Protein backbone atom coordinates (compact mmCIF):
# COMPACT_ATOMS: atom_id res chain seq x y z
CA UNK A 1 0.00 0.00 0.00
CA UNK A 2 1.35 3.41 -0.98
CA UNK A 3 0.70 6.72 0.73
CA UNK A 4 0.61 10.09 -1.01
CA UNK A 5 -1.13 13.46 -0.82
CA UNK A 6 -3.36 15.43 -3.20
CA UNK A 7 -4.34 19.01 -2.35
CA UNK A 8 -3.59 18.38 1.31
CA UNK A 9 -5.68 15.17 1.43
CA UNK A 10 -3.97 11.93 2.46
CA UNK A 11 -4.26 9.23 -0.22
CA UNK A 12 -3.82 5.46 0.23
CA UNK A 13 -3.31 3.49 -2.98
CA UNK A 14 -3.40 -0.28 -3.30
CA UNK A 15 -3.61 -1.84 -6.76
CA UNK A 16 -6.61 -4.11 -7.30
CA UNK A 17 -7.88 -5.77 -10.51
CA UNK A 18 -10.97 -4.51 -12.30
CA UNK A 19 -12.50 -1.07 -12.57
CA UNK A 20 -10.95 1.68 -10.48
CA UNK A 21 -12.73 2.05 -7.14
CA UNK A 22 -12.15 4.89 -4.69
CA UNK A 23 -13.58 6.21 -1.46
CA UNK A 24 -13.36 9.65 0.11
CA UNK A 25 -13.92 9.41 3.86
CA UNK A 26 -14.37 12.26 6.30
CA UNK A 27 -13.76 11.68 10.00
CA UNK A 28 -17.11 13.06 11.10
CA UNK A 29 -20.55 11.66 11.80
CA UNK A 30 -23.42 11.91 14.20
CA UNK A 31 -21.10 11.81 17.21
CA UNK A 32 -19.60 15.16 16.12
CA UNK A 33 -22.84 17.07 16.48
CA UNK A 34 -23.94 19.03 19.54
CA UNK A 35 -27.08 18.44 21.59
CA UNK A 36 -28.79 21.39 19.90
CA UNK A 37 -27.53 20.49 16.43
CA UNK A 38 -28.38 16.78 16.24
CA UNK A 39 -29.02 15.94 12.61
CA UNK A 40 -26.65 18.54 11.19
CA UNK A 41 -24.23 16.00 9.72
CA UNK A 42 -27.12 14.19 8.07
CA UNK A 43 -28.41 17.49 6.68
CA UNK A 44 -25.00 18.29 5.15
CA UNK A 45 -24.98 14.83 3.61
CA UNK A 46 -28.45 15.42 2.17
CA UNK A 47 -27.46 18.80 0.73
CA UNK A 48 -24.56 17.15 -1.06
CA UNK A 49 -26.85 14.50 -2.50
CA UNK A 50 -29.22 17.24 -3.64
CA UNK A 51 -26.35 19.01 -5.42
CA UNK A 52 -25.99 15.79 -7.46
CA UNK A 53 -22.24 15.96 -8.14
CA UNK A 54 -22.11 12.23 -8.97
CA UNK A 55 -20.53 11.33 -12.30
CA UNK A 56 -18.97 7.85 -11.98
CA UNK A 57 -20.60 4.75 -13.38
CA UNK A 58 -21.30 3.41 -9.90
CA UNK A 59 -21.39 5.36 -6.66
CA UNK A 60 -22.72 5.29 -3.13
CA UNK A 61 -22.40 7.45 -0.03
CA UNK A 62 -23.20 7.04 3.64
CA UNK A 63 -23.12 8.91 6.89
CA UNK A 64 -22.61 6.93 10.08
CA UNK A 65 -21.68 7.52 13.69
CA UNK A 66 -17.97 8.22 13.15
CA UNK A 67 -17.62 8.85 9.44
CA UNK A 68 -19.17 10.17 6.25
CA UNK A 69 -18.00 8.46 3.08
CA UNK A 70 -18.35 8.69 -0.69
CA UNK A 71 -17.52 5.66 -2.87
CA UNK A 72 -17.32 5.47 -6.67
CA UNK A 73 -16.15 3.08 -9.39
CA UNK A 74 -15.50 3.45 -13.11
CA UNK A 75 -12.70 4.52 -15.40
CA UNK A 76 -9.91 6.56 -13.76
CA UNK A 77 -11.16 9.65 -15.61
CA UNK A 78 -14.74 9.12 -14.35
CA UNK A 79 -13.56 8.61 -10.77
CA UNK A 80 -11.34 11.69 -10.92
CA UNK A 81 -14.16 13.86 -12.26
CA UNK A 82 -16.56 12.37 -9.69
CA UNK A 83 -14.51 13.26 -6.61
CA UNK A 84 -13.47 16.61 -8.05
CA UNK A 85 -17.20 17.41 -8.32
CA UNK A 86 -17.95 16.14 -4.80
CA UNK A 87 -15.28 18.38 -3.28
CA UNK A 88 -16.49 21.32 -5.34
CA UNK A 89 -20.05 20.76 -4.05
CA UNK A 90 -18.76 20.73 -0.47
CA UNK A 91 -17.14 24.11 -1.05
CA UNK A 92 -20.45 25.52 -2.31
CA UNK A 93 -22.44 24.68 0.86
CA UNK A 94 -24.87 25.88 2.03
CA UNK A 95 -27.05 26.38 -1.06
CA UNK A 96 -28.69 29.74 -1.70
CA UNK A 97 -32.15 28.12 -1.59
CA UNK A 98 -31.60 26.56 1.86
CA UNK A 99 -35.29 26.68 2.98
CA UNK A 100 -36.36 24.73 -0.11
CA UNK A 101 -33.42 22.32 0.25
CA UNK A 102 -34.33 21.55 3.87
CA UNK A 103 -38.06 21.15 3.24
CA UNK A 104 -37.84 17.62 1.84
CA UNK A 105 -35.24 16.14 4.23
CA UNK A 106 -36.44 13.06 6.08
CA UNK A 107 -34.72 12.80 9.47
CA UNK A 108 -35.80 9.15 9.65
CA UNK A 109 -33.09 8.43 7.06
CA UNK A 110 -30.44 8.99 9.73
CA UNK A 111 -28.53 5.92 10.78
CA UNK A 112 -27.39 6.10 14.39
CA UNK A 113 -25.73 3.26 16.28
CA UNK A 114 -28.33 0.58 15.49
CA UNK A 115 -30.86 2.55 17.55
CA UNK A 116 -34.05 0.73 16.57
CA UNK A 117 -36.44 2.01 19.24
CA UNK A 118 -35.39 5.65 19.26
CA UNK A 119 -35.74 7.26 22.68
CA UNK A 120 -36.82 3.92 24.21
CA UNK A 121 -33.85 1.92 22.92
CA UNK A 122 -31.85 0.35 25.81
CA UNK A 123 -28.57 0.53 23.87
CA UNK A 124 -29.16 4.23 23.28
CA UNK A 125 -29.88 4.62 26.99
CA UNK A 126 -26.54 3.03 27.92
CA UNK A 127 -24.64 5.29 25.52
CA UNK A 128 -26.46 8.37 26.83
CA UNK A 129 -25.66 7.37 30.43
CA UNK A 130 -21.99 6.67 29.74
CA UNK A 131 -21.11 9.58 27.45
CA UNK A 132 -23.56 12.30 28.51
CA UNK A 133 -24.98 14.82 26.02
CA UNK A 134 -22.13 14.60 23.50
CA UNK A 135 -20.38 12.16 21.21
CA UNK A 136 -21.88 8.68 21.27
CA UNK A 137 -24.23 9.83 24.02
CA UNK A 138 -26.25 11.80 21.45
CA UNK A 139 -27.38 8.59 19.74
CA UNK A 140 -30.53 8.31 21.85
CA UNK A 141 -31.97 11.73 21.10
CA UNK A 142 -33.98 12.73 18.02
CA UNK A 143 -32.85 15.31 15.52
CA UNK A 144 -33.54 19.02 15.73
CA UNK A 145 -36.15 20.34 13.30
CA UNK A 146 -33.93 20.87 10.24
CA UNK A 147 -35.76 24.11 9.42
CA UNK A 148 -34.13 25.66 12.49
CA UNK A 149 -30.58 25.26 11.18
CA UNK A 150 -29.05 28.45 9.79
CA UNK A 151 -26.73 28.90 6.84
CA UNK A 152 -23.97 30.01 9.22
CA UNK A 153 -24.28 26.80 11.27
CA UNK A 154 -23.97 24.68 8.14
CA UNK A 155 -21.04 26.74 6.88
CA UNK A 156 -19.23 26.45 10.23
CA UNK A 157 -19.83 22.70 10.46
CA UNK A 158 -18.51 22.13 6.93
CA UNK A 159 -15.54 24.37 7.66
CA UNK A 160 -14.68 22.35 10.75
CA UNK A 161 -15.21 18.77 9.60
CA UNK A 162 -15.34 18.55 5.78
CA UNK A 163 -11.74 19.66 5.41
CA UNK A 164 -8.61 18.42 3.71
CA UNK A 165 -7.03 17.50 7.05
CA UNK A 166 -10.06 15.43 8.08
CA UNK A 167 -10.35 13.49 4.82
CA UNK A 168 -8.65 10.40 3.40
CA UNK A 169 -8.92 9.14 -0.18
CA UNK A 170 -8.43 5.43 -0.86
CA UNK A 171 -7.95 4.14 -4.42
CA UNK A 172 -7.42 0.80 -6.17
CA UNK A 173 -5.47 2.36 -9.07
CA UNK A 174 -3.16 5.30 -9.59
CA UNK A 175 -5.10 8.56 -9.32
CA UNK A 176 -5.03 10.48 -12.61
CA UNK A 177 -3.48 13.98 -12.64
CA UNK A 178 -6.90 15.50 -13.34
CA UNK A 179 -8.14 14.57 -9.84
CA UNK A 180 -8.52 17.68 -7.68
CA UNK A 181 -9.59 17.55 -4.01
CA UNK A 182 -10.15 21.22 -3.32
CA UNK A 183 -11.58 21.20 0.19
CA UNK A 184 -11.54 23.82 2.94
CA UNK A 185 -8.23 23.66 4.79
CA UNK A 186 -8.38 22.40 8.35
CA UNK A 187 -6.71 20.03 10.81
CA UNK A 188 -7.76 16.61 12.00
CA UNK A 189 -10.28 17.52 14.76
CA UNK A 190 -10.23 16.19 18.28
CA UNK A 191 -13.05 13.86 19.40
CA UNK A 192 -13.97 13.98 23.08
CA UNK A 193 -14.42 10.30 23.96
CA UNK A 194 -14.31 10.57 27.74
CA UNK A 195 -16.91 8.74 29.79
CA UNK A 196 -19.10 11.09 31.80
CA UNK A 197 -20.93 8.61 34.03
CA UNK A 198 -18.75 5.71 34.98
CA UNK A 199 -17.92 4.24 38.35
CA UNK A 200 -15.67 1.37 39.20
CA UNK A 201 -17.55 -1.84 39.67
CA UNK A 202 -20.59 -3.10 37.74
CA UNK A 203 -23.81 -1.07 37.97
CA UNK A 204 -27.41 -1.37 36.87
CA UNK A 205 -30.14 1.22 36.61
CA UNK A 206 -33.77 1.57 35.54
CA UNK A 207 -34.93 3.80 32.71
CA UNK A 208 -37.80 4.23 30.26
CA UNK A 209 -36.60 1.58 27.81
CA UNK A 210 -38.08 -1.13 25.61
CA UNK A 211 -35.88 -4.08 26.51
CA UNK A 212 -32.70 -4.83 28.45
CA UNK A 213 -29.08 -4.21 27.50
CA UNK A 214 -25.52 -4.68 28.74
CA UNK A 215 -22.43 -2.67 27.82
CA UNK A 216 -18.76 -3.06 28.71
CA UNK A 217 -15.66 -1.15 27.70
CA UNK A 218 -12.85 -3.13 26.10
CA UNK A 219 -9.51 -2.54 24.45
CA UNK A 220 -10.06 -2.92 20.68
CA UNK A 221 -9.41 -6.44 19.41
CA UNK A 222 -10.97 -9.17 17.34
CA UNK A 223 -10.71 -11.45 20.37
CA UNK A 224 -12.89 -9.10 22.45
CA UNK A 225 -15.53 -9.05 19.73
CA UNK A 226 -15.48 -12.85 19.49
CA UNK A 227 -15.88 -13.23 23.24
CA UNK A 228 -18.85 -10.87 23.29
CA UNK A 229 -20.28 -12.89 20.43
CA UNK A 230 -19.84 -16.05 22.50
CA UNK A 231 -21.63 -14.37 25.41
CA UNK A 232 -24.43 -13.30 23.07
CA UNK A 233 -24.87 -16.91 21.94
CA UNK A 234 -25.13 -18.11 25.53
CA UNK A 235 -27.61 -15.38 26.45
CA UNK A 236 -29.64 -15.99 23.29
CA UNK A 237 -30.00 -19.67 24.17
CA UNK A 238 -30.79 -18.90 27.82
CA UNK A 239 -33.59 -16.39 27.15
CA UNK A 240 -35.10 -18.66 24.52
CA UNK A 241 -35.07 -21.65 26.89
CA UNK A 242 -36.73 -19.50 29.56
CA UNK A 243 -39.31 -18.27 27.05
CA UNK A 244 -38.79 -14.63 28.07
CA UNK A 245 -37.37 -13.19 24.83
CA UNK A 246 -36.70 -14.14 21.22
CA UNK A 247 -33.74 -11.93 20.40
CA UNK A 248 -30.32 -11.14 21.84
CA UNK A 249 -28.21 -8.90 19.60
CA UNK A 250 -24.48 -8.19 19.53
CA UNK A 251 -23.84 -4.44 19.81
CA UNK A 252 -20.58 -2.56 19.13
CA UNK A 253 -19.37 1.04 19.08
CA UNK A 254 -15.95 2.18 17.89
CA UNK A 255 -14.82 4.90 20.32
CA UNK A 256 -11.07 5.46 19.99
CA UNK A 257 -7.76 3.65 19.87
CA UNK A 258 -7.97 2.57 23.49
CA UNK A 259 -11.62 1.65 23.89
CA UNK A 260 -14.54 0.10 22.06
CA UNK A 261 -17.97 -0.36 23.63
CA UNK A 262 -19.34 -3.91 23.32
CA UNK A 263 -22.66 -5.22 24.49
CA UNK A 264 -25.86 -7.18 24.11
CA UNK A 265 -29.40 -5.95 23.61
CA UNK A 266 -32.39 -8.16 24.48
CA UNK A 267 -35.60 -7.15 22.76
CA UNK A 268 -39.11 -8.06 23.96
CA UNK A 269 -40.38 -8.09 20.38
CA UNK A 270 -42.34 -11.27 19.74
CA UNK A 271 -41.73 -12.67 23.24
CA UNK A 272 -44.56 -14.65 24.81
CA UNK A 273 -43.87 -13.15 28.23
CA UNK A 274 -40.99 -10.72 28.40
CA UNK A 275 -39.47 -10.63 31.88
CA UNK A 276 -36.91 -7.82 32.06
CA UNK A 277 -35.59 -8.75 35.52
CA UNK A 278 -34.98 -12.36 34.47
CA UNK A 279 -33.34 -11.24 31.23
CA UNK A 280 -30.95 -8.98 33.14
CA UNK A 281 -30.18 -11.76 35.60
CA UNK A 282 -29.38 -14.18 32.77
CA UNK A 283 -27.09 -11.57 31.21
CA UNK A 284 -25.17 -11.17 34.43
CA UNK A 285 -25.02 -14.90 35.21
CA UNK A 286 -23.65 -15.77 31.78
CA UNK A 287 -21.11 -12.92 31.82
CA UNK A 288 -19.77 -13.97 35.24
CA UNK A 289 -19.73 -17.63 34.23
CA UNK A 290 -17.66 -16.95 31.12
CA UNK A 291 -15.35 -14.60 33.02
CA UNK A 292 -14.79 -17.29 35.64
CA UNK A 293 -14.74 -20.50 33.58
CA UNK A 294 -13.63 -19.28 30.15
CA UNK A 295 -14.75 -20.83 26.88
CA UNK A 296 -15.88 -24.44 26.62
CA UNK A 297 -15.97 -26.65 23.54
CA UNK A 298 -19.51 -25.56 22.65
CA UNK A 299 -18.44 -21.91 22.76
CA UNK A 300 -15.46 -22.61 20.52
CA UNK A 301 -17.65 -24.47 18.02
CA UNK A 302 -20.11 -21.56 17.98
CA UNK A 303 -17.30 -19.07 17.37
CA UNK A 304 -15.86 -21.14 14.55
CA UNK A 305 -19.30 -21.37 12.94
CA UNK A 306 -19.70 -17.61 13.28
CA UNK A 307 -16.34 -16.92 11.62
CA UNK A 308 -17.09 -19.22 8.69
CA UNK A 309 -20.80 -18.49 8.27
CA UNK A 310 -22.06 -18.20 4.71
CA UNK A 311 -24.30 -15.38 3.55
CA UNK A 312 -28.01 -16.32 3.96
CA UNK A 313 -29.83 -16.80 0.67
CA UNK A 314 -32.29 -13.97 1.34
CA UNK A 315 -29.39 -11.52 1.83
CA UNK A 316 -27.32 -12.70 -1.10
CA UNK A 317 -28.87 -10.23 -3.61
CA UNK A 318 -27.99 -7.32 -1.32
CA UNK A 319 -24.37 -8.43 -1.05
CA UNK A 320 -24.16 -9.05 -4.78
CA UNK A 321 -25.49 -5.56 -5.52
CA UNK A 322 -22.68 -4.08 -3.42
CA UNK A 323 -19.94 -6.39 -4.68
CA UNK A 324 -18.45 -3.54 -6.75
CA UNK A 325 -17.42 -1.88 -3.46
CA UNK A 326 -15.45 -4.89 -2.26
CA UNK A 327 -12.04 -3.92 -3.76
CA UNK A 328 -11.85 -0.74 -1.67
CA UNK A 329 -12.69 -2.51 1.59
CA UNK A 330 -9.16 -3.87 1.87
CA UNK A 331 -7.92 -0.29 2.15
CA UNK A 332 -10.55 0.93 4.63
CA UNK A 333 -8.71 -0.19 7.82
CA UNK A 334 -5.79 2.08 6.88
CA UNK A 335 -8.25 4.94 6.30
CA UNK A 336 -9.88 4.51 9.71
CA UNK A 337 -6.56 4.17 11.50
CA UNK A 338 -5.48 7.45 9.92
CA UNK A 339 -8.67 9.28 10.93
CA UNK A 340 -9.50 7.70 14.30
CA UNK A 341 -6.45 5.81 15.53
CA UNK A 342 -8.57 2.64 15.51
CA UNK A 343 -10.65 0.57 13.13
CA UNK A 344 -13.80 -1.49 13.23
CA UNK A 345 -13.34 -5.20 13.86
CA UNK A 346 -15.33 -8.01 12.29
CA UNK A 347 -15.90 -11.57 13.46
CA UNK A 348 -14.11 -12.91 10.38
CA UNK A 349 -10.94 -10.85 10.92
CA UNK A 350 -7.67 -12.70 11.68
CA UNK A 351 -6.94 -13.15 15.37
CA UNK A 352 -4.30 -10.95 16.96
CA UNK A 353 -2.52 -13.95 18.47
CA UNK A 354 -1.43 -16.57 15.93
CA UNK A 355 -2.03 -19.40 18.43
CA UNK A 356 -5.68 -18.45 18.79
CA UNK A 357 -7.79 -17.58 21.79
CA UNK A 358 -6.78 -19.66 24.81
CA UNK A 359 -9.19 -20.25 27.74
CA UNK A 360 -6.85 -18.37 30.08
CA UNK A 361 -6.65 -15.37 27.77
CA UNK A 362 -10.44 -15.37 27.42
CA UNK A 363 -10.90 -15.41 31.20
CA UNK A 364 -8.44 -12.58 31.69
CA UNK A 365 -10.03 -10.42 29.02
CA UNK A 366 -13.60 -10.94 30.23
CA UNK A 367 -12.68 -10.50 33.89
CA UNK A 368 -11.46 -7.04 32.93
CA UNK A 369 -14.92 -6.22 31.59
CA UNK A 370 -16.68 -6.60 34.93
CA UNK A 371 -15.55 -3.27 36.39
CA UNK A 372 -17.01 -1.35 33.43
CA UNK A 373 -20.20 -3.39 33.03
CA UNK A 374 -23.49 -1.50 33.01
CA UNK A 375 -26.99 -2.98 32.66
CA UNK A 376 -30.23 -1.09 31.98
CA UNK A 377 -33.73 -2.42 32.69
CA UNK A 378 -37.20 -0.86 32.32
CA UNK A 379 -38.74 1.07 35.19
CA UNK A 380 -40.43 -1.26 37.68
CA UNK A 381 -37.86 -4.04 37.26
CA UNK A 382 -35.80 -5.08 40.29
CA UNK A 383 -33.30 -7.67 39.04
CA UNK A 384 -31.27 -9.72 41.51
CA UNK A 385 -27.72 -9.02 40.37
CA UNK A 386 -25.16 -10.08 43.03
CA UNK A 387 -22.25 -7.67 43.24
CA UNK A 388 -23.90 -5.05 41.01
CA UNK A 389 -24.73 -1.59 42.42
CA UNK A 390 -28.10 0.06 41.80
CA UNK A 391 -27.26 3.38 40.12
CA UNK A 392 -30.81 4.40 39.15
CA UNK A 393 -31.76 8.08 39.09
CA UNK A 394 -32.13 9.47 42.61
CA UNK A 395 -35.41 11.02 43.70
CA UNK A 396 -36.30 13.39 46.51
CA UNK A 397 -39.45 14.38 48.42
CA UNK A 398 -38.98 18.08 47.75
CA UNK A 399 -41.42 19.55 45.24
CA UNK A 400 -40.01 22.71 43.60
CA UNK A 401 -42.21 25.74 43.02
CA UNK A 402 -43.90 26.09 39.66
CA UNK A 403 -46.99 25.57 37.60
CA UNK A 404 -48.54 22.28 38.82
CA UNK A 405 -50.16 20.20 36.07
CA UNK A 406 -52.44 17.28 36.92
CA UNK A 407 -53.01 14.36 34.55
CA UNK A 408 -55.73 14.68 31.97
CA UNK A 409 -59.10 13.93 33.62
CA UNK A 410 -59.46 10.48 32.09
CA UNK A 411 -55.96 9.57 33.33
CA UNK A 412 -56.33 10.66 36.95
CA UNK A 413 -57.68 7.35 38.21
CA UNK A 414 -54.46 5.56 37.27
CA UNK A 415 -52.01 8.42 37.87
CA UNK A 416 -52.05 10.36 41.14
CA UNK A 417 -48.87 12.26 40.28
CA UNK A 418 -48.23 15.67 38.81
CA UNK A 419 -45.90 17.62 36.54
CA UNK A 420 -44.36 20.83 37.87
CA UNK A 421 -43.09 23.36 35.31
CA UNK A 422 -40.87 25.87 37.11
CA UNK A 423 -38.74 28.80 36.03
CA UNK A 424 -35.53 26.75 36.09
CA UNK A 425 -36.61 23.09 36.19
CA UNK A 426 -39.29 20.58 35.26
CA UNK A 427 -40.22 17.98 37.86
CA UNK A 428 -42.29 14.82 37.83
CA UNK A 429 -44.03 13.75 41.05
CA UNK A 430 -45.32 10.19 41.25
CA UNK A 431 -48.33 9.01 43.21
CA UNK A 432 -46.16 8.27 46.26
CA UNK A 433 -44.63 11.74 46.36
CA UNK A 434 -41.24 10.84 44.85
CA UNK A 435 -39.86 13.78 42.87
CA UNK A 436 -37.51 13.65 39.89
CA UNK A 437 -36.27 17.09 38.88
CA UNK A 438 -34.67 18.02 35.56
CA UNK A 439 -32.95 21.42 35.28
CA UNK A 440 -34.19 23.34 32.25
CA UNK A 441 -30.62 23.48 30.95
CA UNK A 442 -30.62 19.66 30.84
CA UNK A 443 -34.24 19.13 29.78
CA UNK A 444 -35.43 17.78 26.44
CA UNK A 445 -39.07 16.98 25.67
CA UNK A 446 -39.74 14.41 22.96
CA UNK A 447 -43.09 13.88 21.26
CA UNK A 448 -44.22 11.00 19.08
CA UNK A 449 -47.86 10.54 18.16
CA UNK A 450 -49.72 10.59 21.52
CA UNK A 451 -46.60 9.86 23.60
CA UNK A 452 -44.57 12.48 25.44
CA UNK A 453 -41.27 11.98 27.25
CA UNK A 454 -39.14 14.19 29.48
CA UNK A 455 -35.39 13.56 29.17
CA UNK A 456 -32.60 14.58 31.52
CA UNK A 457 -29.85 14.66 28.90
CA UNK A 458 -27.09 15.23 31.45
CA UNK A 459 -28.01 12.01 33.20
CA UNK A 460 -29.19 10.19 30.09
CA UNK A 461 -32.58 9.15 31.50
CA UNK A 462 -36.15 9.45 30.24
CA UNK A 463 -39.51 9.70 32.03
CA UNK A 464 -42.88 9.18 30.38
CA UNK A 465 -45.16 12.21 30.76
CA UNK A 466 -47.83 11.21 28.23
CA UNK A 467 -50.56 11.69 30.86
CA UNK A 468 -49.66 15.39 30.79
CA UNK A 469 -49.70 15.77 27.00
CA UNK A 470 -52.32 18.53 27.36
CA UNK A 471 -49.48 20.64 28.85
CA UNK A 472 -47.39 20.41 25.67
CA UNK A 473 -47.83 24.11 24.89
CA UNK A 474 -46.66 25.06 28.39
CA UNK A 475 -43.60 22.88 27.98
CA UNK A 476 -42.83 24.45 24.61
CA UNK A 477 -43.02 27.89 26.19
CA UNK A 478 -40.65 26.86 28.97
CA UNK A 479 -38.01 25.36 26.65
CA UNK A 480 -35.93 26.73 23.76
CA UNK A 481 -37.35 25.67 20.37
CA UNK A 482 -34.62 23.08 19.82
CA UNK A 483 -35.39 21.32 23.10
CA UNK A 484 -38.92 20.25 22.11
CA UNK A 485 -38.56 17.58 19.42
CA UNK A 486 -40.56 15.10 17.45
CA UNK A 487 -39.17 11.57 17.51
CA UNK A 488 -38.78 9.48 14.39
CA UNK A 489 -40.99 6.48 13.76
CA UNK A 490 -38.19 3.91 14.18
Amino acid sequence: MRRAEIDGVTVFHQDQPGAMTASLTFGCGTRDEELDSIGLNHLVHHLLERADPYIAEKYDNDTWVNETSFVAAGTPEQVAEHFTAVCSAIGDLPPTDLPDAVADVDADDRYVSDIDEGVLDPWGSLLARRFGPRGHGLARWPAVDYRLFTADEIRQYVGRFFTSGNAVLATTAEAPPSLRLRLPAGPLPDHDTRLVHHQSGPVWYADEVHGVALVVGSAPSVEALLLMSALRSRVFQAVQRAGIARFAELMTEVVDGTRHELGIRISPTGARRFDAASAAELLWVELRRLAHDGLDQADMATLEATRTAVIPEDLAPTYEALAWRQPIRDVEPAVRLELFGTTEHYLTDPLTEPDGLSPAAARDLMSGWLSSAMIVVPYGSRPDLPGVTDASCPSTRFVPAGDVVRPAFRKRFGNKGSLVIGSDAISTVDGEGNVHTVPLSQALVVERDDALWLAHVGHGCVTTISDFSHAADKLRSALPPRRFRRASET
Side-chain angles (χ1 to χ4, degrees):
M1 187 179 301
R2 296 192 291 277
R3 180 185 179 127
E5 187 176 295
I6 298 176
D7 296 329
V9 175
T10 298
V11 179
F12 288 109
H13 167 214
Q14 180 171 294
D15 287 328
Q16 298 273 14
M20 180 178 180
T21 308
S23 67
L24 180 64
T25 303
F26 294 90
C28 62
T30 56
R31 73 165 178 177
D32 295 297
E33 298 161 343
E34 304 291 339
L35 178 64
D36 291 325
S37 67
I38 293 178
L40 186 51
N41 196 87
H42 175 253
L43 176 58
V44 169
H45 180 257
H46 167 82
L47 295 176
L48 286 171
E49 286 188 321
R50 184 174 181 268
D52 196 19
Y54 310 123
I55 296 162
E57 178 182 339
K58 294 181 179 179
Y59 61 86
D60 196 7
N61 51 82
D62 299 295
T63 178
W64 310 96
V65 178
N66 296 342
E67 66 186 65
T68 299
S69 62
F70 302 84
V71 187
T75 67
E77 291 72 23
Q78 282 180 323
V79 171
E81 188 177 355
H82 183 98
F83 285 109
T84 298
V86 168
C87 292
S88 178
I90 289 172
D92 290 338
L93 293 180
T96 55
D97 61 341
L98 182 58
D100 292 336
V102 169
D104 61 344
V105 186
D106 183 3
D108 286 359
D109 288 343
R110 295 169 64 241
Y111 172 86
V112 187
S113 300
D114 286 323
I115 304 298
D116 294 333
E117 293 283 349
V119 166
L120 304 183
D121 193 289
W123 183 248
S125 172
L126 289 168
L127 295 178
R129 172 64 71 97
R130 284 164 96 80
F131 291 93
R134 56 173 174 73
H136 288 81
L138 300 177
R140 186 179 196 183
W141 313 124
V144 171
D145 184 341
Y146 288 174
R147 293 170 297 181
L148 298 176
F149 288 126
T150 67
D152 281 344
E153 283 180 281
I154 295 169
R155 191 175 295 110
Q156 289 171 11
Y157 189 84
V158 170
R160 181 181 178 192
F161 292 108
F162 287 83
T163 64
S164 58
N166 194 36
V168 175
L169 180 74
T171 69
T172 62
E174 193 75 43
S178 59
L179 175 60
R180 308 280 12 119
L181 302 175
R182 294 192 176 96
L183 292 166
L188 191 68
D190 292 328
H191 304 279
D192 189 351
T193 58
R194 293 171 300 167
L195 296 177
V196 172
H197 299 291
H198 172 66
Q199 59 193 75
S200 181
V203 301
W204 73 272
Y205 68 95
D207 195 1
E208 192 66 47
V209 292
H210 190 234
V212 171
L214 159 79
V215 67
V216 302
S218 178
S221 71
V222 180
E223 285 79 0
L225 184 63
L226 284 168
L227 287 173
M228 185 56 73
S229 178
L231 176 60
R232 186 216 68 89
S233 296
R234 285 194 175 194
V235 172
F236 174 70
Q237 295 167 9
V239 296
Q240 283 208 322
R241 283 196 304 268
I244 58 176
R246 292 183 60 191
F247 302 104
E249 303 168 81
L250 175 66
M251 309 298 292
T252 66
E253 291 293 337
V254 175
V255 180
D256 57 29
T258 65
R259 182 187 185 92
H260 287 188
E261 298 287 302
L262 305 176
I264 296 169
R265 177 173 60 194
I266 301 175
S267 170
T269 304
R272 297 192 304 274
R273 53 175 189 86
F274 182 68
D275 185 332
S278 296
E281 289 161 8
L282 287 172
L283 264 175
W284 184 238
V285 165
E286 295 300 337
L287 173 58
R288 290 214 303 180
R289 183 177 295 155
L290 264 180
H292 182 268
D293 298 335
L295 301 172
D296 59 24
Q297 291 301 314
D299 294 318
M300 296 300 292
T302 299
L303 288 180
E304 186 59 30
T306 299
R307 288 170 59 79
T308 58
V310 297
I311 299 172
E313 286 187 14
D314 59 329
L315 294 179
T318 301
Y319 280 83
E320 290 169 3
L322 296 174
W324 65 271
R325 295 182 53 158
Q326 186 59 42
I328 204 65
R329 291 196 173 120
D330 292 338
V331 194
E332 287 177 346
V335 171
R336 294 190 174 112
L337 283 170
E338 180 74 16
L339 291 172
F340 312 119
T342 185
T343 188
E344 188 171 357
H345 293 297
Y346 301 94
L347 294 171
T348 54
D349 288 348
L351 296 179
T352 305
E353 297 296 331
D355 295 333
L357 188 60
S358 69
R363 285 195 300 270
D364 290 345
L365 200 158
M366 297 191 77
S367 295
W369 289 353
L370 299 179
S371 63
S372 68
M374 186 177 282
I375 296 173
V376 61
V377 299
Y379 285 130
S381 299
R382 296 289 306 178
D384 180 15
L385 304 175
V388 185
T389 303
D390 182 354
S392 298
C393 291
S395 61
T396 68
R397 307 292 289 185
F398 172 73
V399 181
D403 185 2
V404 179
V405 181
R406 302 295 179 187
F409 183 77
R410 67 182 183 280
K411 302 284 188 179
R412 290 182 185 176
F413 180 77
N415 187 346
K416 305 298 183 183
S418 61
L419 180 72
V420 182
I421 305 173
S423 59
D424 59 358
I426 302 172
S427 303
T428 54
V429 185
D430 67 18
E432 298 178 354
N434 299 306
V435 182
H436 181 223
T437 297
V438 182
L440 283 184
S441 62
Q442 299 292 311
L444 176 68
V445 173
V446 180
E447 183 180 42
R448 185 172 68 197
D449 298 328
D450 295 329
L452 204 64
W453 298 285
L454 172 64
H456 188 319
V457 295
H459 198 253
C461 65
V462 169
T463 304
T464 297
I465 55 171
S466 298
D467 289 353
F468 307 97
S469 58
H470 56 290
D473 288 342
K474 291 182 179 180
L475 290 166
R476 283 192 183 92
S477 299
L479 293 167
R482 298 192 183 194
R483 294 297 180 91
F484 196 105
R485 302 183 191 171
R486 182 171 294 279
S488 68
E489 296 301 319
T490 55

